[in-house]
Amino acid sequence: MPRLFAIALLASLLFAQSRDETEVPAPFRVSTDLVVAPVTVFDRAGGYVNGIQPEEFHLYDNDKEQNIHVDIAYQPISIVIAIQANSHVESLLPQLQKIGNLITPLVIVDQGEAAILAYDSRIRKLQDFTSDPE
C-alpha cells in the first residue's frame, strides 16, 4: 500500500512539472453572417424613440458601417406598480393618481399591461392587469 501511494504521488508530481503554467489556450474564432443586436433608442433628452426606420439607423463594426436588416418587434411589458399606502405617505397618495400619464406611453401603448397593488401591513389589489389607459 505505501508503495502504491508513493507511485501515485510521484506520478502527480511529474504531471504537475510537465505542465507549463504560462500556456495560453488557443484563441476561439467563429465566423458569422448574422448578428442579432437588439437595441432601444433614446433621444438626447432621454425619451424613448419609437418607430425608427432602417435609413435612420447605422451600425458600425471596427469603424466600418455594416449592412443591416431591421426587424421591428415589440415585446409587450407587464408591470406591477406597488404603492406604499400607510399613514407615513398618506399625504402623497393623491399625487400618485398622475402615474397613469407616465405608464400609458411607455407600457400600454405597445400592447403592454399594468396592475396596481397597495401595501401596508397587507397587500391589496387596486387594479388587475389591464391595457386600458383609463
Side-chain angles (χ1 to χ4, degrees), residues 97-106:
Q97 292 176 348
K98 301 174 187 175
I99 199 167
N101 294 333
L102 298 172
I103 295 168
T104 299
L106 296 174

Side-chain angles (χ1 to χ4, degrees), residues 2-119:
R3 187 179 292 176
L4 183 60
F5 177 76
I7 292 171
L9 181 61
L10 181 61
S12 65
L13 287 173
L14 289 173
F15 177 76
Q17 288 178 351
S18 69
R19 197 168 153 236
D20 184 4
E21 295 296 327
T22 61
E23 280 185 36
V24 176
F28 181 76
R29 291 188 173 93
V30 174
S31 296
T32 182
D33 294 325
L34 175 66
V35 176
V36 178
V39 296
T40 303
V41 181
F42 299 95
D43 61 20
R44 289 183 179 161
Y48 173 71
V49 177
N50 193 5
I52 193 165
Q53 299 300 311
E55 60 273 5
E56 301 171 306
F57 191 83
H58 300 275
L59 179 67
Y60 293 88
D61 181 26
N62 293 327
D63 295 325
K64 181 179 174 191
E65 187 169 0
Q66 302 296 308
N67 293 327
I68 61 170
H69 173 76
V70 176
D71 286 328
I72 299 174
Y74 297 102
Q75 296 296 324
I77 295 174
S78 295
I79 186 171
V80 175
I81 300 156
I83 301 170
Q84 180 179 347
N86 58 20
S87 60
H88 298 294
V89 294
E90 189 173 350
S91 63
L92 301 173
L93 292 178
Q95 296 174 13
L96 290 175
Q97 292 176 348
K98 301 174 187 175
I99 199 167
N101 294 333
L102 298 172
I103 295 168
T104 299
L106 296 174
V107 176
I108 296 176
V109 165
D110 289 327
Q111 302 149 358
E113 60 184 359
I116 302 174
L117 301 177
Y119 69 93

